[in-house]
Amino acid sequence: MAPPLRPLGRLRPPGMLLRALLLLLLLSPVPGVWCFSELSFVKEPQDVTVTRKDPVVLDCQAHGEVPIKVTWLKNGAKVSENKRIEVLSNGSLYISEVEGRRGEQSDEGFYQCLAMNKYGAILSQKAHLALSTISAFEAQPISTEVHEGGVARFACKISSHPPAVITWEFNRTALPMTMDRITALPTGVLQIYDVSQRDSGNYRCVAATVAHRRKSMEASLAVIPAKESKSFHTPTIIAGPQNITTSLHQTVVLECMATGNPKPIISWSRLDHKSIDVFNTRVLGSGNLMISDVRLQHAGVYVCRATTPGTRNFTVAMATLTVLAPPSFVEWPESLTRPRAGTARFMCQAEGIPSPKMSWLKNGRKIHSNGRIKMYNSKLVINQIIPEDDAIYQCMAENSQGSILSRARLTVVMSEDRPSAPYNVHAETMSSSAILLAWERPLYNSDKVIAYSVHYMKAEGLNNEEYQVVIGNDTTHYIIDDLEPASNYTFYIVAYMPMGASQMSDHVTQNTLEDVPLRPPEISLTSRSPTDILISWLPIPAKYRRGQVVLYRLSFRLSTENSIQVLELPGTTHEYLLEGLKPDSVYLVRITAATRVGLGESSVWTSHRTPKATSVKAPKSPELHLEPLNCTTISVRWQQDVEDTAAIQGYKLYYKEEGQQENGPIFLDAKDLLYTLSGLDPRRKYHVRLLAYNIEDGYQADQTVSTPGCVSVRDRMVPPPPPPHHLYAKANTSSSIFLHWRRPAFTAAQIINYTIRCNPVGLQNASLVLYLQTSETQMLVQGLEPNTKYEFAVRLHVDQLSSPWSPVVYHSTLPEAPAGPPVGVKVTLIEDDTALVSWKPPDGPETVVTRYTILYASRKAWIAGEWQVLHREGAITMALLENLVAGNVYIVKISASNEVGEGPFSNSVELAVLPKETSESNQRPKRLDSADAKVYSGYYHLDQKSMTGIAVGVGIALTCILICVLILIYRSKARKSSASKTAQNGTQQLPRTSAPLASGNEVGKNLEGAVGNEESLMPMIMPNSFIDAKGGTDLIINSYGPIIKNNSKKKWFFFQDSKKIQVEQPQRRFTPAVCFYQPGTTVLISDEDSPSSPGQTASFSRPFGVAADTEHSANSEGSHETGDSGRFSHESNDEIHLSSVISTTPPNL
């Protein structure tokens, strides 16, 4: 059996490798193609109703790559700008004064805006601009007389746009609606229950719109006094519901007004026994049903029932509510990238009530079918793509309720190095369903050909669908074996290379051979007299005929005999009259059709009884027509002969499936001319007979018909179910995206599974596409790459059928939080109170930074955990630190963050802010009290090289001092004599000096970091005093000679907020109190100017401070776990350790 036809684009290469290559060539996106900003509408015009001479603005705003040009169309023609009409800068259309005159001056009509940029053009939906109008009253209230206690009803009707609001006046004053007895319906009906004498008077309705107001004629209500006793009266509906056709989201009222004694109870139900929507419905007055926000599920037949209380007496009235719906898409076209000479197919399906009309637009203009471009219902197929096909295509669905459009882009990939077209194409018929096609390789670049595609379609008719078969490059012939017999086909070949396709080859046309008919004709049997049977038949459909029918063979016999009579008729004959038959006898008839190849299958025997010879007054046989409505339903129609004078009481209908028992009779009225047989089996032949009867049965008509196959039958081409819609994506984390979609509407609940397709945008390797399965309408897709744009599509699977893919949705995962801190942090003092901090983004090419956080604080504030915070956008890598206080050391650190989270802080960087230089900067510091012990010394800018030089110098100085001390010890006598000699010559002042404090290890330790927020004083030495700089002896010598030790104790202080410590170690050696200045090094200083008298010891009783850091620019190149709680860093720990070493009580000198 020949395989079924394959639609264009369904690939059938002989090998899996070729399939993958061609899929990659034809279906994968090409890098660089989607770099444009897609053209779309932000705002589209909407329907609007205005009053004449009023201004109006029709919105239209487009988004895409600029420049975008917007033009307007009215009823399909371009709108010309003038003094009244102009296009605003944002694309909207402004009409200063709307004209309503008939003819060309009227502004009423359907408007659309056309947005165009260099990639193409798109057309907006239609918007109807209408003028506010109101007609004369189509129905006026009518005067009436009502018995007291009865019901009165007035009605008026008027047409207007927009719909008028109708109110009522009683004796020309507004009728109050607060009474329960009176109900005014929005439809223009006034109902009055329990009428009394005070209701007598004149009534009229008032219809008002924004621009118009009209009053109806007055109608009087006369109230007749009620009788003393009221008799029982069955319920009667005096105003029942009317059939209504409405649009979505409107409000409708189904009126039901009844009378009776006692007063009837009114209830509502649906004829299909579905429950009435209680959320959007309510009862107005005594029984009117109002449905607000009408939806499709509200459509149906509504039944009003008026029932006498406590009894089963009731009456009903029914009305049909029809809900119209604007078009909505169930399948959207997808943007495509195709090579030149390739084929593109766009799919588009919409639903609505009434069914929408589908059309296609290219760059805003309607497309018409031609040789290359075909439209099949909801499909658009473009063959042999040329560069001019690169455009934006729109699918438009419209009905009486509105129009919608969906767009897709076709991008044509160009390649200059294409092969030439295959040539010398020729075809040879092989059979009734196969044709051999052969060709020669391209003359140019044939070595680059990777595949050939064979295109073919029927040569006769319009809008024939084109089919395609893809084969490898190792052959130049192919047999197409799924063709229809006795049909002409057109063929051409295209050669494909990795970056494009050749032009199509020359077209060749070839026909398939005939075959025997696939099925016999359907026959109909009737009798005109008791001795004849008229046999008629319909032509065989072309797809079953398989050639030209040259003859029909009729076979007939009596049901009681075995001998068969055969007649052969020309192929142009469609009826034959058998005469000379026996009355009241059953004859069996069958027919066979033949082509030039031979006879096909015969029909089954069809029976027919000839009328009785005495049936002169019996009705003649009706003219019978059978038509399959669907796979399980047959429509039976008939018409009686107008010349037949016999009386007809009714009809009898019989039917049976081939080979089964007959069903019937079904009795029908004489006025019936149509009956529907339902519940039949698909793909079955049925025999139907019909006769009219009066006193006796009339002549019968027999006919056969076949039911078609249903879409659930697998041997037919089954249309796929609609795809899921409203696909929505949202990033959850840097590695997951949440997807949600809606299930399309089905007539019955079925088990549905979904496949989710996920891949990064621009993916070239098809094997890396991720496919996920679920039965839910949502899914969390995990394991994705951070900060990567993905495309998602969903398709559903139901009952072994798969839908097309839904429209693609693009969404990006969130970036990862920065893993490292900003690098290269530098802080530079640019003014006295302002510093510039700069940095570089964190390492890593994938790191996304949206914000930087800068924390800075002085030492005291840092210890207390009090930071000042600055924020800068991710594109900025510097900031100013302002209002800095002179004399403080500031700590700065920076972190990077994005929408996911914040990364670690950088290593702390310190900045010393110097005070302004004064005239006393070279003088000795002033004396400070313990409350504010701050002494400022000279400041120097110390960088790393300077510190290294100082350390080397200090080492050399220590070595020299050690040598000098040793020499002094061994020459003490000489030094004493020198001292007495010096005492005779007078005193000599010595300059201020400085010496290293403690050992070399301690100095190196102090150089590791500066101590902030505390000051140090340079050591002060009196002019007439000498201190042993070595530190190996407690001997102190001044200008008068050696100083005798004093055992009196002195107190030493460190940091003004420190606890005073008394140490009693008189024998412990005093660590030299003189030091060379190091930034951040704790030093000791005396606050005494000089001893009070010669020989008096120099005392130390004031606390020491920390010298402020000199101005510097510090660097940090790593992450440091510094919290914001004010914990000490390692620099602070070293500082405390140093102070504990120095803060000991030296021996008194």
Side-chain angles (χ1 to χ4, degrees):
M1 180 178 176
L5 293 179
R6 292 170 296 279
L8 177 65
R10 185 173 298 177
L11 307 178
R12 194 180 64 174
M16 292 301 295
L17 179 60
L18 182 60
R19 181 193 300 269
L21 285 174
L22 200 63
L23 279 174
L24 183 63
L25 171 65
L26 297 180
L27 303 179
S28 64
V30 176
V33 169
W34 299 110
C35 294
F36 63 91
S37 178
E38 187 173 2
L39 187 62
S40 62
F41 284 112
V42 179
K43 284 186 179 180
E44 294 187 70
Q46 305 293 329
D47 293 345
V48 62
T49 302
V50 296
T51 306
R52 186 172 176 269
K53 295 298 183 182
D54 280 354
V56 67
V57 175
L58 297 175
D59 290 327
C60 180
Q61 293 185 24
H63 170 75
E65 185 169 328
V66 294
I68 299 176
K69 181 182 178 182
V70 176
T71 57
W72 281 85
L73 305 177
K74 174 190 171 186
N75 298 330
K78 185 177 179 180
V79 175
S80 300
E81 295 188 61
N82 52 43
K83 293 182 178 179
R84 289 190 310 108
I85 303 174
E86 64 174 315
V87 179
L88 303 180
S89 58
N90 64 354
S92 300
L93 183 67
Y94 173 68
I95 304 177
S96 58
E97 291 184 358
V98 175
E99 291 291 346
R101 292 192 296 270
R102 294 184 179 180
E104 297 180 359
Q105 292 297 324
S106 176
D107 292 323
E108 286 188 288
F110 291 93
Y111 288 80
Q112 292 173 282
C113 65
L114 180 71
M116 180 184 301
N117 66 5
K118 66 178 182 179
Y119 295 109
I122 55 174
L123 192 65
S124 73
Q125 66 185 16
K126 290 182 179 179
H128 186 212
L129 173 61
L131 287 174
S132 176
T133 58
I134 191 168
S135 68
F137 279 98
E138 301 172 14
Q140 303 269 8
I142 301 174
S143 299
T144 184
E145 293 182 354
V146 178
H147 285 88
E148 191 173 1
V151 295
R153 178 180 181 273
F154 295 101
C156 66
K157 184 179 179 182
I158 194 170
S159 296
S160 66
H161 189 81
V165 176
I166 298 179
T167 57
W168 288 86
E169 292 183 353
F170 174 57
N171 292 332
R172 303 201 173 186
T173 60
L175 181 66
M177 297 299 170
T178 55
M179 295 179 288
D180 295 336
R181 299 183 305 108
I182 301 177
T183 303
L185 303 182
T187 54
V189 173
L190 179 66
Q191 299 173 342
I192 306 175
Y193 289 87
D194 295 330
V195 174
S196 61
Q197 289 294 337
R198 65 177 182 272
D199 295 324
S200 299
N202 295 322
Y203 293 83
R204 69 178 178 184
C205 68
V206 180
T209 63
V210 177
H212 305 90
R213 180 181 176 88
R214 298 213 171 175
K215 297 181 180 180
S216 70
M217 297 172 56
E218 289 186 331
S220 62
L221 172 62
V223 180
I224 303 173
K227 298 179 181 178
E228 294 182 0
S229 61
K230 295 182 179 179
S231 60
F232 175 82
H233 180 56
T234 57
T236 303
I237 296 177
I238 62 173
Q242 303 296 314
N243 293 339
I244 298 177
T245 299
T246 187
S247 302
L248 285 177
H249 311 301
Q250 300 297 314
T251 298
V252 298
V253 176
L254 296 172
E255 183 184 8
C256 190
M257 191 175 187
T259 61
N261 187 29
K263 182 180 179 181
I265 299 173
I266 296 177
S267 60
W268 286 90
S269 63
R270 288 177 59 115
L271 192 61
D272 55 8
H273 304 294
K274 293 182 180 179
S275 60
I276 294 179
D277 182 8
V278 296
F279 297 103
N280 291 332
T281 59
R282 67 187 182 96
V283 176
L284 290 180
S286 297
N288 309 288
L289 184 68
M290 184 175 76
I291 306 175
S292 57
D293 191 18
V294 171
R295 301 177 186 175
L296 289 176
Q297 61 262 32
H298 292 137
V301 178
Y302 288 81
V303 180
C304 166
R305 175 169 172 165
T307 307
T308 302
T311 70
R312 294 185 178 180
N313 297 322
F314 67 89
T315 184
V316 297
M318 294 181 288
T320 301
L321 174 60
T322 303
V323 181
L324 304 180
S328 62
F329 285 115
V330 295
E331 184 176 4
W332 295 260
E334 297 183 17
S335 294
L336 301 174
T337 301
R338 292 291 183 266
R340 184 165 58 177
T343 300
R345 168 175 290 190
F346 295 101
M347 303 291 294
C348 182
Q349 292 186 23
E351 61 184 9
I353 302 175
S355 296
K357 177 185 176 183
M358 309 294 295
S359 58
W360 288 88
L361 308 175
K362 174 187 175 183
N363 286 337
R365 298 179 180 274
K366 276 198 173 183
I367 299 176
H368 301 284
S369 292
N370 56 36
R372 292 190 310 107
I373 301 176
K374 305 290 184 183
M375 287 179 286
Y376 313 98
N377 297 326
S378 58
K379 294 183 292 186
L380 173 66
V381 179
I382 305 174
N383 300 311
Q384 277 301 299
I385 293 173
I386 60 177
E388 289 73 17
D389 294 327
D390 191 313
I392 300 175
Y393 293 84
Q394 288 178 284
C395 168
M396 181 168 67
E398 56 182 334
N399 63 8
S400 60
Q401 299 301 297
S403 65
I404 55 172
L405 296 98
S406 181
R407 69 187 180 279
R409 166 122 191 220
L410 173 60
T411 303
V412 180
V413 179
M414 307 298 293
S415 176
E416 298 302 328
D417 195 21
R418 297 186 302 156
S420 58
Y423 70 101
N424 194 20
V425 180
H426 54 280
E428 180 181 348
T429 301
M430 305 294 292
S431 68
S432 62
S433 62
I435 291 178
L436 171 64
L437 198 65
W439 62 91
E440 298 290 340
R441 295 180 182 275
L443 294 174
Y444 174 69
N445 274 347
S446 62
D447 57 327
K448 296 183 179 179
V449 174
I450 62 171
Y452 295 99
S453 66
V454 177
H455 300 252
Y456 60 98
M457 62 186 298
K458 280 189 174 182
E460 292 92 2
L462 298 175
N463 285 336
N464 291 321
E465 190 162 3
E466 182 174 294
Y467 300 91
Q468 177 184 17
V469 178
V470 178
I471 60 177
N473 63 351
D474 55 348
T475 183
T476 57
H477 64 271
Y478 186 75
I479 297 178
I480 299 112
D481 56 1
D482 53 3
L483 306 177
E484 294 182 8
S487 301
N488 285 334
Y489 284 88
T490 299
F491 304 87
Y492 66 89
I493 315 294
V494 175
Y496 282 94
M497 59 179 291
M499 288 306 295
S502 71
Q503 294 287 350
M504 55 184 171
S505 68
D506 294 335
H507 289 63
V508 296
T509 301
Q510 187 72 12
N511 66 289
T512 53
L513 298 177
E514 292 186 348
D515 207 337
V516 297
L518 199 57
R519 66 167 55 173
E522 306 286 356
I523 63 173
S524 176
L525 307 176
T526 58
S527 291
R528 299 180 179 179
S529 69
T531 60
D532 64 29
I533 297 177
L534 177 64
I535 307 172
S536 59
W537 57 91
L538 297 174
I540 304 174
K543 63 179 179 179
Y544 302 117
R545 188 168 59 241
R546 306 208 292 185
Q548 183 179 357
V549 177
V550 295
L551 68 86
Y552 292 101
R553 177 177 290 178
L554 284 176
S555 305
F556 65 96
R557 66 180 175 90
L558 276 169
S559 61
T560 56
E561 298 179 1
N562 292 327
S563 60
I564 300 174
Q565 300 183 52
V566 178
L567 296 172
E568 290 190 352
L569 306 172
T572 56
T573 308
H574 295 291
E575 66 178 15
Y576 185 79
L577 181 64
L578 293 177
E579 297 179 301
L581 306 179
K582 294 181 180 180
D584 196 19
S585 300
V586 176
Y587 282 85
L588 302 179
V589 181
R590 71 180 181 186
I591 188 171
T592 307
T595 62
R596 283 186 288 266
V597 179
L599 288 167
E601 181 184 358
S602 299
S603 68
V604 295
W605 290 104
T606 302
S607 62
H608 179 79
R609 179 182 291 274
T610 54
K612 296 178 181 179
T614 56
S615 303
V616 222
K617 296 184 180 180
K620 301 296 181 182
S621 60
E623 185 180 345
L624 185 61
H625 300 279
L626 303 181
E627 181 184 358
L629 297 180
N630 52 49
C631 61
T632 61
T633 307
I634 294 175
S635 170
V636 182
R637 292 183 295 109
W638 61 92
Q639 189 173 359
Q640 197 65 31
D641 189 353
V642 292
E643 298 179 359
D644 188 7
T645 58
I648 298 175
Q649 293 183 2
Y651 294 94
K652 294 179 183 179
L653 178 67
Y654 302 84
Y655 70 97
K656 70 171 183 176
E657 184 183 337
E658 183 180 89
Q660 302 295 326
Q661 292 286 337
E662 187 175 60
N663 299 293
I666 300 172
F667 292 94
L668 304 170
D669 292 337
K671 61 181 180 181
D672 292 336
L673 298 174
L674 173 67
Y675 188 77
T676 301
L677 296 175
S678 57
L680 308 179
D681 291 331
R683 286 191 176 276
R684 295 291 186 270
K685 180 167 283 191
Y686 285 87
H687 176 205
V688 179
R689 65 188 183 98
L690 179 73
L691 57 89
Y693 70 92
N694 44 32
I695 302 174
E696 56 182 331
D697 288 348
Y699 297 4
Q700 70 181 28
D702 296 82
Q703 192 172 339
T704 58
V705 68
S706 297
T707 53
C710 293
V711 293
S712 59
V713 180
R714 285 294 170 263
D715 56 356
R716 286 181 59 89
M717 291 293 293
V718 182
H725 54 91
H726 290 83
L727 179 58
Y728 167 78
K730 183 177 181 180
N732 273 25
T733 64
S734 59
S735 62
S736 64
I737 291 179
F738 177 75
L739 296 179
H740 182 272
W741 58 89
R742 292 186 186 176
R743 163 185 169 172
F746 286 96
T747 55
Q750 303 177 54
I751 299 177
I752 297 180
N753 293 310
Y754 300 93
T755 298
I756 296 95
R757 186 185 73 207
C758 167
N759 60 272
V761 174
L763 179 69
Q764 298 296 320
N765 190 349
S767 64
L768 299 181
V769 178
L770 182 64
Y771 294 93
L772 304 171
Q773 306 290 331
T774 183
S775 58
E776 304 292 332
T777 57
Q778 60 186 26
M779 188 175 204
L780 183 65
V781 183
Q782 298 177 311
L784 307 179
E785 293 295 325
N787 197 33
T788 303
K789 189 174 184 180
Y790 285 86
E791 63 177 46
F792 300 92
V794 183
R795 72 190 307 180
L796 63 85
H797 312 280
V798 56
D799 195 21
Q800 299 182 1
L801 292 176
S802 298
S803 74
W805 289 103
S806 68
V808 176
V809 169
Y810 299 93
H811 203 76
S812 298
T813 52
L814 297 175
E816 286 186 320
V823 298
V825 180
K826 295 183 180 180
V827 188
T828 305
L829 195 66
I830 59 175
E831 294 182 5
D832 294 338
D833 61 348
T834 303
L836 175 67
V837 56
S838 62
W839 60 91
K840 296 179 181 179
D843 292 331
E846 300 299 327
T847 304
V848 175
V849 179
T850 59
R851 190 178 72 166
Y852 290 99
T853 300
I854 302 105
L855 299 183
Y856 69 100
S858 63
R859 276 289 183 180
K860 288 182 181 179
W862 168 67
I863 293 174
E866 299 174 356
W867 293 95
Q868 298 187 54
V869 184
L870 293 178
H871 294 294
R872 292 295 181 266
E873 294 181 1
I876 300 174
T877 56
M878 62 177 60
L880 289 177
L881 308 182
E882 299 177 318
N883 301 322
L884 304 180
V885 178
N888 283 345
V889 174
Y890 284 86
I891 298 174
V892 182
K893 58 182 180 179
I894 306 173
S895 72
S897 62
N898 54 30
E899 56 185 319
V900 178
E902 189 167 3
F905 278 91
S906 66
N907 192 22
S908 298
V909 177
E910 297 179 352
L911 172 71
V913 181
L914 303 180
K916 296 181 181 179
E917 295 186 5
T918 61
S919 58
E920 299 178 4
S921 59
N922 294 325
Q923 299 178 3
R924 44 186 289 192
K926 65 179 181 179
R927 178 173 177 176
L928 302 175
D929 56 22
S930 61
D932 191 10
K934 296 182 181 179
V935 177
Y936 299 97
S937 181
Y939 291 90
Y940 303 93
H941 181 81
L942 299 178
D943 55 11
Q944 188 173 359
K945 293 182 179 179
S946 302
M947 296 294 291
T948 303
I950 292 173
V952 173
V954 168
I956 297 173
L958 285 174
T959 304
C960 295
I961 292 174
L962 181 60
I963 295 173
C964 293
V965 169
L966 292 175
I967 295 173
L968 289 174
I969 292 174
Y970 287 106
R971 297 180 180 180
S972 58
K973 289 184 179 182
R975 193 188 316 167
K976 289 180 181 179
S977 62
S978 300
S980 56
K981 186 177 179 179
T982 304
Q984 295 174 1
N985 295 332
T987 62
Q988 179 181 356
Q989 292 190 350
L990 298 177
R992 185 177 304 168
T993 62
S994 62
L997 173 65
S999 65
N1001 291 334
E1002 290 173 322
V1003 172
K1005 189 173 185 180
N1006 292 332
L1007 293 176
E1008 291 178 1
V1011 179
N1013 240 8
E1014 295 163 2
E1015 293 74 28
S1016 64
L1017 301 177
M1018 294 296 293
M1020 307 301 296
I1021 303 177
M1022 305 314 300
N1024 57 355
S1025 299
F1026 296 91
I1027 297 178
D1028 185 356
K1030 177 185 177 185
T1033 177
D1034 53 3
L1035 177 64
I1036 299 179
I1037 302 172
N1038 62 13
S1039 58
Y1040 297 98
I1043 299 175
I1044 308 278
K1045 291 186 196 178
N1046 190 347
N1047 292 330
S1048 62
K1049 299 178 180 179
K1050 292 288 182 178
K1051 296 180 180 179
W1052 299 78
F1053 302 92
F1054 290 88
F1055 308 108
Q1056 58 187 8
D1057 57 345
S1058 301
K1059 181 180 177 181
K1060 295 183 179 181
I1061 301 174
Q1062 184 176 7
V1063 181
E1064 298 183 3
Q1065 293 180 353
Q1067 290 82 15
R1068 183 173 178 177
R1069 289 187 178 182
F1070 168 64
T1071 303
V1074 180
C1075 73
F1076 187 85
Y1077 169 70
Q1078 304 281 349
T1081 302
T1082 306
V1083 296
L1084 306 178
I1085 186 170
S1086 169
D1087 61 350
E1088 300 291 341
D1089 291 341
S1090 61
S1092 56
S1093 60
Q1096 185 177 354
T1097 62
S1099 62
F1100 300 87
S1101 61
R1102 291 296 181 188
F1104 296 91
V1106 181
D1109 289 344
T1110 58
E1111 179 184 339
H1112 68 285
S1113 176
N1115 299 325
S1116 171
E1117 293 290 344
S1119 173
H1120 201 66
E1121 294 297 330
T1122 304
D1124 294 347
S1125 60
R1127 293 177 293 173
F1128 286 100
S1129 64
H1130 62 82
E1131 296 93 344
S1132 301
N1133 295 332
D1134 294 340
E1135 173 189 334
I1136 294 173
H1137 175 71
L1138 177 62
S1139 63
S1140 64
V1141 173
I1142 302 176
S1143 181
T1144 57
T1145 305
N1148 293 324
L1149 303 180

